[in-house]
Amino acid sequence: MQLVRSWLNKITIERIQLELMNTAYGSGHASLSRLDPRCLLIWYLFFAIVPWFISNLTVLAGMFLMMVVTTILSRVTPFIILVLCLGLIGQVGWLFILSLFFGGDISSALPLLKLTLKLSVVSLASITVFSGMDPEKISDGLLALGMPAAFSFSLSYGYRILPVLFEEFRNVLLSYRLRGKAPEEPGVMYWRMAAYYLKLLVLSFFPLMLATAKRSRTTVEALETRGFSYGMKNPAAKKLKLAHLKVSTRDIMFLSGSAVYVSLLFWISGRL
Amino acid sequence: MANQSNLYTLTSSQKMMIFVLSMSLYGLSNMFTELIPALQLGPIELSVEYFAFIPLTLCMLFHPVYAAVGASVGEVIFGELMLGQFGGLGELEKFLTFSFAMYVAGRMVRDPLNRRQVGIAAMTGVIIHQLCSALVDIGKVWIGVEEFEAVPGLAPSVVIVEGVSFLNDVLFSGTLFALLPTLYLVPRLYGKIEPLLGIKPRVKSTKYESAGVITPKVVITGIVLAVVAFVAESLSETDWNFGEWDSGFEDRFGVGAIWLSLAAAAVIAAITIIIMRARAEKRSRNSGDAPHA
C-alpha cells in the first residue's frame, strides 16, 4: 500500500506537464532522431503492419526485443511507458480474467499472450518513431511521403501547442477551484470529490473553447501570412521545404540491419 | 439571391480554423481521459471513455465535416501517437466510425437553440459510434485469436465484456459526458464562438450543400465507411501465417512459405507507399497549373 501511495504521489499535474514538455522538445538528442524521417517512417510502416500477420511466438518475441532496444535508444520518458503498460493490461488483462471465470484455464493465456506481444510490438514501434523524433522532422517526413499538408502540420502543431494548452487549462481549473467550494465530506469511495472534479473538468472547457477559438484563428492567420495553403499546393515550394531531407549511409545501415535481423528471426523460427 | 446568402459557404482558412480548433480541444481532452482512472465494480467498469461533448458541440455549431475530421485527427495525434498507443492499421476503423458518428450528430441539428434536437442528436452520435466499435471489437477478437473456438469461455466473455462496455459508454459516459455538457454548452457558445473565427452563426434556414438530414448520400457513405473499417480491422488481426494456418503447408514448402508471407507483407507496404507518392505527385501536378484552385 505504501508503495502504491508513493507511486501515486509522483503523478501530479506538474509532473505530467514536465514530461509532456520533454516529449515535445527534448527528443532532438536521441541517437535515433538523427536518422532520416522518411526511412524511419517506412521502417515503422513495416513494424506496424507485419506483426498482425505473424503468429509465431519466436518471431514475435524477437521483434519485441528489438523494439525494446530501439525504444531505449529513443530515450522515451517513463511516463509514456507507464501509460502503455496500463493500456495493455486494460486491453488484455480483463479478457483473460473473464475467460478464467467462464471455465477456461491457464491455457487460454497463450493466445492472449500472442495478442499482447503483437500489440506491444506495434505500440513500441510507434513510441520509437513518434516520441523519439523531433516533431518537425516527422511532419516533414510525412509530407515527403505524400500525407496531406493539413495532417502533417497538425502533428507538429499538436506537439508544440499541447504544453501551452495544458498550462491554460490548469489556470482555468485553478480559478474555478478558487471561486467554487469543494464538498466538505468526501463521501463513500470519494464519489463526491470525484463528481466535483469531473464537473469542474467539464465546465473548464467552456472558457477554454473560446480561448482556443481565438488561438486557432491567430494560428491560421499566421499560417496564411506565410503562404501555407498556396505553398503546399505548389510543387516548387514543397520541394524547397523538403530539400533538407537526405538519405545517408547511416539510414541505409539502419534499414538493412533491421532487415537482416528480421530475416534471421524467420530463419531461426523455421529451423526450430 | 436571398436563397444564396443562406448557403453555408466557408473560405479555406475558415475550414482550417475549425479543423485546428476541434483538433486541439479534443486532443487535449483525450489526454485527460487516457489518464483518469476507471472505477471498477466487479466486471462493470465506470470509466470516462471520452469527452464526446467537445466534437458534438463543435459539429453542431460549425460545419460538421471539418469539426468531425479535426476531432478524429486530434485523437490520433494527442491520444495515440504522443502517448505511444497508436495501433497502426486498426486505428482506421476508430477514425472512420468516430468521424461518421459525429458528422451525423452535427447534421441532425437544424437549430442549435432547440434543446430537444441537440439532446437527441448528441445521444444518437454516441450510440452510433459505440455500436459500431463494439461490433468491430467482437469481430476483431473472433478472427484475431486463432484458437478462438478451442479456448473455453473466451467467446461468451468477449461478448459480455463488449456488451457491458457498450452499456457503460452509452448510459454512463454518454449521459454525463455527452448529453449534459452538450446541452449546457451549445446554447451558451452559440453566437459567441463563431465570431471569434470570423464566421456568421448558423440560423434555422442555413443550408449545407444538401438540405435534408438523412439523405441517401449520407446513408450510403456511412455503410461504405463501416464496411471498409471492418475489413481493415479484421484483416489486420487475421493470422495469415502459412506455417500455422495449415500444418501440411510448411512441410511441403518449408521455410519458403514464411518467406512468401514476408514478401507479401513487404509488397503491401511498398504498394502503399507507391500509391501515396503517385497520388501526391498527381495532386501537385494538377495544382501546379493553377496553384490557386
Side-chain angles (χ1 to χ4, degrees):
Chain A
M1 211 52 215
Q2 195 64 44
L3 194 72
V4 173
R5 194 157 300 159
S6 71
W7 253 103
L8 282 176
N9 281 340
K10 279 185 186 163
I11 310 173
T12 57
I13 290 194
E14 286 83 6
R15 183 158 176 91
I16 292 172
Q17 196 175 0
L18 209 67
E19 300 269 9
L20 287 177
M21 290 290 255
N22 201 7
T23 311
Y25 291 99
S27 44
H29 53 265
S31 50
L32 273 179
S33 70
R34 269 175 290 166
L35 293 170
D36 182 71
R38 285 171 298 177
C39 294
L40 215 50
L41 284 170
I42 291 170
W43 178 88
Y44 167 67
L45 203 61
F46 179 81
F47 283 102
I49 295 173
V50 171
W52 296 117
F53 301 108
I54 294 170
S55 66
N56 189 310
L57 262 183
T58 325
V59 178
L60 281 175
M63 281 183 168
F64 177 72
L65 274 183
M66 183 185 178
M67 288 305 128
V68 169
V69 172
T70 56
T71 312
I72 292 167
L73 279 179
S74 64
R75 299 198 191 175
V76 180
T77 56
F79 165 69
I80 285 180
I81 302 291
L82 183 75
V83 173
L84 169 76
C85 293
L86 287 179
L88 278 180
I89 293 169
Q91 255 174 312
V92 181
W94 260 112
L95 221 54
F96 175 58
I97 292 170
L98 270 181
S99 76
L100 282 185
F101 186 73
F102 277 99
D105 50 18
I106 206 75
S107 69
S108 31
L110 194 69
L112 289 176
L113 179 71
K114 265 182 205 169
L115 195 64
T116 317
L117 268 180
K118 284 178 192 180
L119 284 172
S120 43
V121 168
V122 172
S123 301
L124 284 176
S126 81
I127 287 182
T128 302
V129 173
F130 292 105
S131 303
M133 228 186 354
D134 219 21
E136 263 92 49
K137 282 187 89 174
I138 308 172
S139 119
D140 281 352
L142 283 172
L143 197 63
L145 289 177
M147 287 298 273
F151 183 80
S152 69
F153 162 75
S154 308
L155 187 82
S156 55
Y157 177 75
Y159 273 70
R160 296 291 189 232
I161 205 69
L162 184 66
V164 181
L165 270 179
F166 208 83
E167 177 74 42
E168 190 162 335
F169 181 80
R170 257 187 75 200
N171 289 338
V172 174
L173 195 69
L174 282 178
S175 62
Y176 265 112
R177 282 181 66 189
L178 271 175
R179 280 180 280 164
K181 184 169 173 293
E184 278 165 18
E185 307 248 317
V188 183
M189 285 176 77
Y190 284 87
W191 78 268
R192 248 184 252 269
M193 286 306 256
Y196 173 69
Y197 276 110
L198 283 176
K199 197 181 161 205
L200 281 194
L201 207 60
V202 172
L203 284 178
S204 308
F205 271 93
F206 176 59
L208 201 67
M209 271 181 170
L210 293 169
T212 316
K214 259 195 243 172
R215 175 169 287 127
S216 68
R217 180 176 188 167
T218 317
T219 308
V220 173
E221 277 170 358
L223 270 178
E224 292 305 332
T225 317
R226 299 178 67 187
F228 177 73
S229 36
Y230 179 80
M232 285 303 119
K233 280 174 190 159
N234 190 328
K238 204 167 150 186
K239 211 171 162 190
L240 195 68
K241 182 175 160 56
L242 300 174
H244 67 95
L245 295 176
K246 276 192 191 73
V247 179
S248 64
T249 350
R250 201 191 289 132
D251 303 312
I252 293 168
M253 270 168 64
F254 175 71
L255 283 185
S256 50
S258 307
V260 167
Y261 179 75
V262 171
S263 16
L264 207 67
L265 281 180
F266 278 101
W267 184 71
I268 290 172
S269 72
R271 294 290 293 256
L272 283 177
Chain B
M1 274 290 123
N3 198 13
Q4 190 112 39
S5 65
N6 275 336
L7 207 68
Y8 198 75
T9 44
L10 293 168
T11 64
S12 69
S13 33
Q14 281 169 338
K15 288 173 193 163
M16 188 74 186
M17 280 176 206
I18 297 173
F19 180 83
V20 169
L21 170 67
S22 171
M23 181 200 78
S24 32
L25 274 176
Y26 188 58
L28 181 72
S29 80
N30 234 283
M31 302 235 31
F32 296 132
T33 49
E34 294 277 339
L35 297 173
I36 292 175
L39 178 65
Q40 301 267 9
L41 298 174
I44 298 162
E45 185 186 358
L46 295 179
S47 68
V48 185
E49 191 56 31
Y50 54 177
F51 280 177
F53 69 89
I54 294 167
L56 282 170
T57 308
L58 294 174
C59 281
M60 288 169 195
L61 292 172
F62 298 110
H63 198 299
V65 173
Y66 304 101
V69 173
S72 300
V73 170
E75 182 177 2
V76 167
I77 289 173
F78 287 77
E80 317 269 334
L81 287 181
M82 286 179 80
L83 292 178
Q85 309 233 310
F86 192 62
L89 212 56
E91 303 298 333
L92 182 68
E93 161 265 330
K94 233 196 241 168
F95 189 95
L96 291 177
T97 50
F98 189 69
S99 310
F100 173 68
M102 294 300 121
Y103 171 76
V104 170
R107 281 304 294 267
M108 277 176 74
V109 174
R110 288 286 192 78
D111 174 17
L113 290 174
N114 184 339
R115 277 168 187 263
R116 207 179 55 187
Q117 229 175 59
V118 170
I120 292 172
M123 278 326 266
T124 314
V126 172
I127 289 173
I128 292 177
H129 175 234
Q130 292 302 337
L131 199 66
C132 287
S133 55
L135 289 178
V136 166
D137 276 356
I138 292 173
K140 197 163 99 178
V141 180
W142 211 288
I143 302 169
V145 181
E146 74 264 42
E147 294 98 343
F148 188 79
E149 303 293 332
V151 179
L154 195 54
S157 63
V158 167
V159 173
I160 285 190
V161 165
E162 289 302 328
V164 166
S165 90
F166 170 74
L167 282 181
N168 160 52
D169 290 340
V170 170
L171 296 179
F172 183 74
S173 295
T175 323
L176 287 183
F177 299 102
L179 182 65
L180 295 179
T182 314
L183 281 177
Y184 170 80
L185 282 171
V186 169
R188 270 178 187 71
L189 284 171
Y190 176 73
K192 287 197 187 71
I193 197 169
E194 294 96 337
L196 291 175
L197 300 185
I199 298 170
K200 238 193 318 190
R202 50 183 293 202
V203 284
K204 243 184 207 167
S205 55
T206 302
K207 288 192 183 83
Y208 296 116
E209 316 84 77
S210 52
V213 178
I214 302 171
T215 57
K217 203 174 115 195
V218 174
V219 175
I220 291 172
T221 325
I223 293 168
V224 169
L225 286 186
V227 168
V228 168
F230 187 77
V231 169
E233 251 322 59
S234 351
L235 270 184
S236 73
E237 300 224 2
T238 315
D239 289 300
W240 271 3
N241 190 305
F242 296 102
E244 295 226 354
W245 179 51
D246 180 2
S247 52
F249 203 80
E250 198 179 22
D251 299 336
R252 265 176 277 146
F253 296 95
V255 197
I258 293 159
W259 286 110
L260 202 68
S261 64
L262 188 64
V267 166
I268 292 170
I271 287 172
T272 320
I273 294 167
I274 289 168
I275 290 173
M276 273 163 68
R277 295 232 46 167
R279 202 175 294 160
E281 238 158 66
K282 203 171 127 201
R283 206 184 304 131
S284 62
R285 208 180 309 123
N286 280 350
S287 54
D289 306 331
H292 266 302

